[in-house]
Amino acid sequence: MTKKDALFSDSWMSSWMRTINASEAYREAGKKWKDAIVLRFDDGLNADGKKHTGFFLDLENGSCKQLRYAGEADLQSAPYILTAPYHIWEKLIRDNKDPLFMIMSGVIRVEKGSMLTLGLQRNAAKALLSAAAEAVAKPDTPYSAEASQAQDPSKTGLSHRKTEKSDGRSSYSTTSRGLDFESIPMQLFQKAKQLGVWNPADIDFSKDRAQWVTFTDTEKDLIFRLTAMFMGGEEAVTLDLLPLIQTLAREGRIEEELFLTSFLWEEAKHTEFFALFLRDVIGKPFDMEHYHGPAYRRLFHGELETALQRLHKDDSPKAQLFASLTYNMIVEGTLAETGYEAYHRMLTEQDMLPGLREGIGLLKRDESRHIAFGLYLIDRLLRENPELRDAFETEAGRLAGLVIDVVDEIFAPYQTMPFKLEKAWFVDFALNQFKKRMKKLFDA
Amino acid sequence: MTKKDALFSDSWMSSWMRTINASEAYREAGKKWKDAIVLRFDDGLNADGKKHTGFFLDLENGSCKQLRYAGEADLQSAPYILTAPYHIWEKLIRDNKDPLFMIMSGVIRVEKGSMLTLGLQRNAAKALLSAAAEAVAKPDTPYSAEASQAQDPSKTGLSHRKTEKSDGRSSYSTTSRGLDFESIPMQLFQKAKQLGVWNPADIDFSKDRAQWVTFTDTEKDLIFRLTAMFMGGEEAVTLDLLPLIQTLAREGRIEEELFLTSFLWEEAKHTEFFALFLRDVIGKPFDMEHYHGPAYRRLFHGELETALQRLHKDDSPKAQLFASLTYNMIVEGTLAETGYEAYHRMLTEQDMLPGLREGIGLLKRDESRHIAFGLYLIDRLLRENPELRDAFETEAGRLAGLVIDVVDEIFAPYQTMPFKLEKAWFVDFALNQFKKRMKKLFDA
C-alpha cells in the first residue's frame, strides 16, 4: 500500500504507477494490452502549478512502463486517446464508476483507437482505475455518504417481494378507475395496433430462394450464423418477456400490460419470421445450436434469462430495473438493433435476399417501440427509486461489455468477412445507440 | 343407516326415500325445491318383474313425499322430466358422478322443466343422489378400483411441480428442432394473424353515442351491467392467461406459446374495446364494480384467478387441465360465448348500438380460436393423462353450476328485462355450447 496523495498531483501520479505495477489484478487483466493511451482533460489539467493536456500511460502486457503528464506530441503518437472534462475523470476515479459505461454513454469520448478493443480490455481498465483510487488520499466528499446510502436495503429495494396480490384480486382497473388512454404505454399500444400487425407468412421469399444457391460456403455460413443468432434471440425474448409482464400485471399496471401483450405477440412473429426464412430459403430446419458461441450463450442463456426469470422470486424495483436494462437496453437496444441495422444495410448494399430484408425492416420498426417502452419503464423506475441510479450505471457498463464480446465472436471465425460486413461500423453503431439511450434517460 | 338393497329394486326405492328424509344435507339443500320430477329411462326400466318408465319423486321443501315407479300419467303431470339410458342412471348413482355435468354435457337430457332452475338446485340433486347411493348394496364393479386409482398421486399428478428448467435453458426449439408449422397451435396462429388484427380504435361509435341518450334508465342500467361484466371479464382473462403461457413456455412448447401470444394480445384489445365504448358512448369512466355480483366475483375473482395463478406453484397436468377447463371451457366457452351471442343478437334484433355490435362480432370470432385452442389443450392433456378424466368431469360440472348462478344474477335485478333479453334462451345456449365441447372432447 502506497502513501495517499492529492488527486492528479505529481506525487499521486508516481503512486499510481507503483500501485499499477504492484497490482496482481492488473498484471492478469492487462496482459494483452500493449499500447500507449492518453487520458485527456477537455479544458486541460491544472496540476502542480502547470497546465497539462492530461495523462500519458505507456502500458505493456500487464505493467506500466511510463506514467506522466501528457504533452501535445503524445496526442500524435499514442494510438488511444480518451477525452472527458475534469470532473468526470475525478468522478471516475473517486466514485468507482464503470469506465465502459462512461465510454458507451458518451460521457468519456473515444477520440482515437478502436472502441471494440477498449471494450474487450474493460477489465484492464477497471484494474488501472482501482490502482488510481488506491493511490489517492480519501477526500471529504459526499460520495462516501452516497455509497453507504446505496447499501441500505430499504432504499435499494433489494430482495423485495410484493405480496399484495397473493390474496386474490378484489377489483379490476377498467371497472374501477378506467384505462388511462393518455399514458405512454397506451400511446405505444395504439401504434402497435397499426404498425405491428404485419404477417411474416405474407413475405415472399421466392427471390431469396433463387439467390441462396448462388452464395459461397463462407457466405452461407455467415447467414446461417446470423439467422441462428437472431432466431434464438427472438425465441429468447419471447420466452423471457413473460415474467416482466406478469410482474407489472400483478402491480395493477394494466396500461403497461396491454402494451406488453402487443410487444410479446410481435416477438413471437419475429421468431416465426426467421423460422420461415429457414424453412423456405435455407431448406428444412437443422441443428444450428453450434452457431451460438460462449459470449452469445452468456448473454442470452445467462444474463437475459437470469435477469428476467428472477422476477418470479424477486420483483423489487431493482430487479425490475435490471430486467428492463438487460432486455430492452442491452439485448434489444444495443445488440439486436445494431445487428438488424448492419444486416439490413448489408442486404440493401448487396441488393440481396429481398424477403429477408423486407422482414428485417418491419421487425426493426417493431423493436423501436419496444425500446421506447424500455426507456419509459427505466425512467419510471429510476424516478421512483433514484437511489438505484448508481447500481444501474454499473450494471449497464458490465452488460455493455458482454455485447462487445458477442460482436467480437461474430467476426472471429472469418478471415475475410463475407458481404463486406465491418466490425468497426458494428461497434460504432452499437456504441452510438447505447449512448443515445443513456442520454435520453439521464438528460431528462 | 338403512339396509342395503339391489339397485332400482322396489325395496331399494323405499330405502332411498327413507334415506332422503333422514338426510340433513337434503333438508338444507332441497329446501327451495317443491316440484315433482320424473327420472325417465330411455328404454324403460325392468325392475321386480315389471317394465316401468322410470322413477317419480315428489319433493317438497327438503323432504320427499312420494317415491315410486313412474307411470305414463306422471309424464304429463310432473313439471320436470330428466331422461337417460339405464347405464347412465346406474353410473350416476354408483359412481358418484356430477349430475350437472351429465346434464350439461347432454348425457342426461332435460325433456321438461327449466334448466336454469335445475342448475340452481344442483346441491339438492347431489344430496338426492348421495341418498340413492347410500341405499344401494355395494356391487362388485370396477368403479371402486377406478376410484382408488384416481387417488394415487403418481397417476393424478397432484402437486407436481416441474423444476427441469430451474438451471436455465441450454438450447432453443427454433435452432435445435425447428418450428412445427403443421401443429394445431401454429395453424391457429396463422388464422390469428389474419383475423385477429382488427383495431378497436377503428370502430365508429358515433351512432352509438346518438342512440345512448334515447335509452331509459333501466335500459342504461342493463348496458352498464353487461359492459362492467364483459370489461372486467376481459381484463381478468388478460391477467390470468399469463401463468398458463409461462407454464407451457417452460415446458418448451414453443408452438403453443406462439399461438398464446396472439390470444393474449386479442384479450388486451377486447379489454380496450369495452373501455373505448365506455369512454366514447357512456361518457367518462366511473366505478362500475358494484355491477359485479357475488356469483360473478366467485367465478372471476375466485375460480378463474385461483385456477390460473395456481400454476405458479403447481404446474402439474391436473392443474393445467383445470386451468384450461376453467378459462377456456367455462369462462370463455360457456359464459362469455353465450353472453356475447345473446348481446349481439339483442343488438341486431333491436338494430341498436352498431359500433358495439361490430366489435362484439369481431370479438366472438377471436374467442372461437381461443376455445379451439382450449379444446386442443384439454384433449392433449387428457390423452397424456387419461386417469384425470373423472376429476375433469366432476370439476366441469361444479364450474358449470357457477355459470348458471351468474346468469341468474344478471336477470335478478330486473322485473321486466330490457330489450327482451330472455333468460331461458341464455341458459339453453350456454348448455348447448358446453354440450358441444364435451362431445368433441369425449367422442373423439
Side-chain angles (χ1 to χ4, degrees), chain A residues 165 168-179 181 186 189-190 193-194 197 199-201 228 231-232 235-236 238-240 242-243 245-246 249-250 254 257-258 261-262 264-265 268-269 271-272 275-276 278-279 285-289 292 297 300-301 305 309 312, chain B residues 165 168-179 181 186 189-190 193-194 197 199-201 228 231-232 235-236 238-240 242-243 245-246 249-250 254 257-258 261-262 264-265 268-269 271-272 275-276 278-279 285-289 292 297 300-301 305 309 312:
Chain A
K165 288 286 169 188
R169 286 188 292 271
S170 59
S171 74
Y172 295 104
S173 303
T174 49
T175 46
S176 54
R177 64 169 172 83
L179 282 185
F181 283 97
M186 284 307 284
F189 187 55
Q190 298 310 325
K193 288 181 300 167
Q194 289 162 4
V197 294
N199 184 352
M231 185 161 64
E235 182 175 338
T238 309
L239 293 165
D240 290 330
L242 293 167
I245 307 183
Q246 182 75 64
R250 197 184 287 126
I254 185 73
E257 196 209 342
L258 294 189
T261 68
S262 70
L264 181 71
W265 186 61
K269 288 192 299 168
T271 305
E272 186 205 17
L276 285 169
L278 182 64
R279 185 190 71 175
F286 63 101
D287 191 340
M288 301 175 96
E289 292 276 312
H292 296 165
R297 285 171 186 272
F300 284 92
H301 293 292
E305 187 183 1
Q309 298 296 335
H312 285 309
Chain B
K165 287 287 166 190
R169 284 189 293 270
S170 59
S171 74
Y172 294 105
S173 303
T174 50
T175 47
S176 55
R177 64 170 173 82
L179 282 184
F181 282 97
M186 286 306 284
F189 187 55
Q190 298 310 326
K193 288 182 299 168
Q194 289 162 5
V197 295
N199 184 353
M231 185 161 63
E235 182 175 339
T238 310
L239 293 165
D240 289 331
L242 293 167
I245 307 183
Q246 182 76 64
R250 196 184 286 125
I254 185 74
E257 196 208 343
L258 294 188
T261 68
S262 71
L264 181 71
W265 185 63
K269 288 192 300 168
T271 306
E272 186 206 17
L276 285 168
L278 181 65
R279 185 190 71 175
F286 63 102
D287 191 340
M288 301 174 97
E289 291 276 312
H292 296 165
R297 285 171 186 273
F300 284 91
H301 294 290
E305 186 183 2
Q309 299 296 334
H312 286 308

Side-chain angles (χ1 to χ4, degrees), chain B residues 35-307:
Chain B
D35 284 309
I37 184 165
V38 171
L39 310 183
R40 188 182 191 177
F41 286 60
D42 260 349
D43 305 316
L45 163 66
N46 292 306
D48 294 330
K50 281 183 206 153
K51 182 142 181 161
H52 308 280
T53 303
F55 294 99
F56 173 88
L57 287 86
D58 193 6
L59 303 163
E60 193 179 288
N61 303 113
S63 70
C64 179
K65 288 164 61 189
Q66 275 191 71
L67 206 172
R68 53 176 173 75
Y69 292 122
E72 285 302 316
D74 297 321
L75 298 178
Q76 303 305 315
S77 67
Y80 287 89
I81 302 175
L82 301 182
T83 305
Y86 182 96
H87 74 275
I88 293 296
W89 290 119
E90 184 181 18
K91 194 171 178 183
L92 183 70
I93 291 170
R94 287 207 204 268
D95 208 20
N96 195 28
K97 288 283 180 186
D98 189 282
L100 193 59
F101 176 84
M102 303 273 262
I103 290 171
M104 292 200 70
S105 58
V107 175
I108 298 175
R109 302 189 306 283
V110 182
E111 285 197 56
K112 206 172 157 193
S114 149
M115 175 57 216
L116 179 69
T117 312
L118 285 170
L120 294 171
Q121 292 296 331
R122 60 192 179 274
N123 291 328
K126 277 190 192 164
L128 279 181
L129 291 168
S130 294
E134 240 184 81
V136 70
K138 289 277 177 292
D140 287 331
T141 65
Y143 301 121
S144 45
E146 235 178 72
S148 67
Q149 194 185 56
Q151 302 299 316
D152 178 350
S154 72
K155 303 241 174 182
T156 58
L158 265 165
S159 295
H160 164 88
R161 181 81 176 93
K162 287 237 166 55
T163 53
E164 67 212 38
K165 287 287 166 190
S166 63
D167 297 334
R169 284 189 293 270
S170 59
S171 74
Y172 294 105
S173 303
T174 50
T175 47
S176 55
R177 64 170 173 82
L179 282 184
D180 179 1
F181 282 97
E182 304 307 312
S183 62
I184 290 174
M186 286 306 284
Q187 288 176 27
L188 290 169
F189 187 55
Q190 298 310 326
K191 278 195 189 168
K193 288 182 299 168
Q194 289 162 5
L195 304 173
V197 295
W198 61 283
N199 184 353
D202 290 343
I203 289 177
D204 177 9
F205 284 121
S206 58
K207 286 190 185 148
D208 300 53
R209 198 160 41 241
Q211 279 185 350
W212 176 253
V213 295
T214 69
F215 292 146
T216 67
D217 284 351
T218 316
E219 287 169 341
K220 284 182 179 168
D221 190 76
L222 178 65
I223 292 170
F224 286 151
R225 182 177 311 276
L226 292 173
T227 304
M229 292 177 72
F230 288 133
M231 185 161 63
E234 294 290 355
E235 182 175 339
V237 293
T238 310
L239 293 165
D240 289 331
L241 189 62
L242 293 167
L244 184 64
I245 307 183
Q246 182 76 64
T247 299
L248 298 173
R250 196 184 286 125
E251 290 184 353
R253 302 182 193 276
I254 185 74
E255 290 83 359
E256 296 182 9
E257 196 208 343
L258 294 188
F259 171 69
L260 286 171
T261 68
S262 71
F263 187 146
L264 181 71
W265 185 63
E266 287 159 12
E267 298 299 5
K269 288 192 300 168
H270 300 172
T271 306
E272 186 206 17
F273 169 70
F274 287 107
L276 285 168
F277 175 75
L278 181 65
R279 185 190 71 175
D280 294 347
V281 179
I282 297 185
K284 63 184 176 141
F286 63 102
D287 191 340
M288 301 174 97
E289 291 276 312
H290 62 282
Y291 285 110
H292 296 165
Y296 182 91
R297 285 171 186 273
R298 195 155 58 238
L299 191 57
F300 284 91
H301 294 290
E303 299 294 341
L304 179 71
E305 186 183 2
T306 305

Side-chain angles (χ1 to χ4, degrees), chain A residues 7 15 28 33 46 70 125 160 165 197-198 208 282 348 355 386 411 418:
Chain A
L7 184 64
S15 289
E28 180 55 28
W33 184 268
N46 292 306
H160 164 88
K165 288 286 169 188
V197 294
W198 61 282
D208 301 52
I282 297 186
T348 307
F411 287 82

Side-chain angles (χ1 to χ4, degrees), chain A residues 32 45 103 377 389 396 443:
Chain A
K32 288 190 180 162
L45 164 65
I103 290 173
L377 179 60
R389 191 176 146 157
D443 287 4

